[in-house]
Amino acid sequence: MARGELRIHLGAAPGVGKTYTMLEEAHRRAERGTDVVIALVETHGREHTEAMIGDLEVVPRREMTYRGAAFTEMDLDAVLRRRPAVAVVDELAHTNVPGSRNAKRWQDVRDLLDAGITVLTTVNIQHLESLNDVVARITGTEQRETVPDAVVRGAEQVELVDMTPEALRRRMAHGNVYRPEKVDAALGNYFRTGNLTALRELALLWLADKVEDQLGRYRADHAIDSTWETRERVVVALTGGPEGATLVRRASRIAARTKGADLMAVHVVRDDGLAGANPAALARQRVLVESLGGSYHQVVGADVPRALLDFARGANATQIVLGASSRGRFAQLFAAGVGVTTIARSGSIDVHLVTHERAGRGRSRGPVPAALSPGRRIAGFLTALLGLPLLTAVLKTAPALPLVDDILLFLVAVIGVALIGGLWPALLSAVAGSLLLNWFFTPPVGRFTIAEGQNLLALAIFVVVAIAVSWVVDTAARKTRQAAQATADAQTLATVAGSVLRGERPLTALLERLRETFGLDSVTLVEDGAVVTAVGGPACGRTADADVEVRAGDNLLVLLKGRLLRASDRRIVEAFAAQAAVALRQERLTTEAAAAKPLAAADRLRTALLAAVSHDLRTPLASAKAAVAGLRSGDVRFDDDDRAELLATADESLDRLDRLVANLLDMSRLQAGALGVAAIDVGAEEIVPRALDEIGPAGRDVVVHVPDDLPMLRADPGLLERVLVNIVGNALRHSPPDRPPVITGSTHGDIVELRVIDHGPGIPEDRREEVFLPFQRLGDRDNGTGTGLGLALARGLTEAMGGTLTPDDTPGGGLTMILTLPASGTP
């Protein structure tokens, strides 16, 4: 059975018209004769959306009960039995009621697709898992319902339902999105113009990335190698040389000229496994690339221009930035450089050759490391000095051989010396062997003259072959040693990376690994003459006291004490130093981020306070003002009952306003740490009735079971009363009429525990902490019952008095709030 297709209507925010557009698509398909059913559509009371359902077949929803409350969900089994060609399923990121077949609606959609049913659905950009934290930082609201990006990216079609922020705000103001009483709060909070603009940009960019992925797959499926300039992509080639920073900055300026251009840096590693570029320089250049918003890549290849162009074409790059050749003019006569070859092969890709200080000056090479150890070289010289005379003596005493045979035997001796001692002993053997052959075996014997031309040619060939073989053997030995050194360096760096990733403090772990690897007494990181951190022995704060000094940045030094390092070791230490600079920067960024969290929380609180003042305080103010204005009006005559009702309305509204303002002020004091607590010994039997009286007539229904012998509490009476008012008020709002809340009291050691028990719908265990967030109502479905501060304030006041407030399940369904406070006499 073929799998169904998924079509997603993506929006930047609620109200842009995703559901309406999805229903239009459903009607178009139905008119073409396709079997279409509505599995689930959330109209949210919007008349135009409800009318758009029209005559489409609707599968009845499944009714469910959870914690005493009734819910409806999509009846997945009914849709599967019906087996339509197309099913309309709204709100892909929705979380199903516990007890459903799947936890998430996108999992229901997956089951429909597996059954061969095509699905039309909707999702907002803020519900994508990868953008959840980004949206939270922009809007100050964390989305609890998310859908994996892979689900949306795997859709056959994603259509963006777009609307400008101004148009969406007008729709809201006209009441086409939310009910009138919610419009002001929404416009002043989540639906601010800045928020909507940022969300719209996120949606456009995310969809552009998906389109780019689709284009990449199309190019790969159709074997298209040529560059399609759909977006500027600048590739800068790095060699690890000193010109790297200049090239990166130049490439960044080129990319910055076009909005949305990508910057990619690439380093081509030789495929022979030999160390080429300076790892420390590459590490610093990688940090620079990433700081400029680019990405760093490494590819392996024997032919550098080909590897570079293969990478550029694979990335659909439009421009390549290269450094001008550092080779001298003489070297360029024999072979074209990487830049010239790349230009010749680049095709439609633009290539920029950027000059720099070292252009044309020749490559700066360090000392060439010896291929063999000093002992091997000495053994080679001894073999040459002793072996060649011995071979001469053996050949003179043995029966005479043709000159060609003598030359071959001397050639074998030269090769043996090359294998033992390398190039220079082999060159000595070649020269000495040619002289011995000329003196002892080439007519006229005993003279350095050659009578026959063919013998001269044979000796010349001997010398050339001997030197060539010596050079080949020496080069192979040097390459082998370099490869072994490169392997050891790579293993060292891999071990360092692993230890740093596993450590909680990367900088300390990095320096400690450096000290252990090279057997040092201490390693110190110094910035502008001040010690940042040190491992091992006492910190080495001055360069004069260090055995080795390695620069890690413009103002960073790594000072090593314990022993001197070889030149080959210094390359690895420089790589350590470059990574230490990165680790230091990451630690400081982490510290700054941690310091910014309280500021961000305070900013969110301030935003929520403004929203509360603009919306939640308006209702009691409006009610009180209307009542007072009616009483003062001379146009209408009120009897005593009407006047008493208006006065009661004004009094009730002002009392509600007083409670809201008190909650706001207390929450502000809690956040600022300026709340005064005057704890005294007080009895629960005194505070509980006062709290119920404060609640009003509804408080008379609460059942109280507080023992007479319950110990006194150590608390602030006024704050404790506020806590109980908020907790019991919350319980009353969620309790069924026939099962009022219950308050019980008990003691456990030096702790007194008060429980407020309700039998309402309860709260899922994984979402209990959400009710203690300021301005948070679980589910955010009701914005008309207060500021959402009650439980947040109750916990804050309780903790200020040295107690705790925790939620728990009520046996049989419901929520129990457990308030614990120290008993009288507890220190």
Side-chain angles (χ1 to χ4, degrees), residues 102-139:
N102 297 309
K104 298 286 188 177
R105 186 166 291 166
W106 63 263
Q107 295 171 325
D108 295 339
V109 168
R110 181 186 58 194
D111 292 346
L112 294 175
L113 295 173
D114 291 340
I117 301 173
T118 293
V119 175
L120 308 181
T121 188
T122 64
V123 70
N124 281 325
I125 194 67
Q126 68 263 28
H127 293 298
L128 295 184
E129 185 65 47
S130 64
L131 298 177
N132 187 258
D133 56 338
V134 178
V135 173
R137 286 194 296 269
I138 293 173
T139 64

Side-chain angles (χ1 to χ4, degrees), residues 165 328 331 396 445 519 521 592 728 771:
K396 291 299 290 184
V445 177
D521 294 337
E592 292 174 2
V728 176
V771 299

Side-chain angles (χ1 to χ4, degrees), residues 530-703:
V531 175
V532 177
T533 185
V535 297
C540 184
R542 299 187 306 166
T543 56
D545 298 333
D547 294 316
V548 179
E549 170 190 338
V550 178
R551 183 163 295 279
D554 294 336
N555 54 354
L556 283 175
L557 291 175
V558 176
L559 304 181
L560 313 179
K561 190 172 182 60
R563 69 179 182 90
L564 296 175
L565 298 177
R566 296 176 299 174
S568 59
D569 291 340
R570 188 177 180 90
R571 286 167 51 91
I572 302 301
V573 173
E574 289 176 349
F576 272 91
Q579 294 301 323
V582 176
L584 177 62
R585 187 182 68 169
Q586 294 296 334
E587 284 195 1
R588 287 177 173 172
L589 289 175
T590 301
T591 302
E592 292 174 2
K597 282 184 178 180
L599 298 178
D603 184 67
R604 287 195 298 270
L605 177 64
R606 182 166 54 252
T607 301
L609 279 169
L610 292 175
V613 169
S614 67
H615 175 262
D616 293 294
L617 300 186
R618 180 173 297 178
T619 300
L621 277 174
S623 299
K625 186 176 185 304
V628 173
L631 290 172
R632 295 185 60 189
S633 174
D635 298 334
V636 181
R637 291 184 174 274
F638 296 101
D639 57 23
D640 292 341
D641 293 338
D642 292 335
R643 187 176 292 104
E645 183 177 351
L646 288 174
L647 289 172
T649 299
D651 183 62
E652 180 182 347
S653 299
L654 291 174
D655 285 343
R656 181 182 175 191
L657 179 63
D658 180 67
R659 288 194 298 271
L660 290 173
V661 172
N663 282 344
L664 290 170
L665 292 176
D666 284 344
M667 180 56 67
S668 300
R669 295 190 187 103
L670 279 173
Q671 294 288 336
L675 182 69
V677 179
I680 62 174
D681 293 342
V682 62
E685 71 280 359
E686 174 187 354
I687 298 298
V688 171
R690 284 166 46 184
L692 297 180
D693 289 341
E694 176 70 17
I695 292 174
R700 300 170 190 167
D701 298 330
V702 178
V703 180

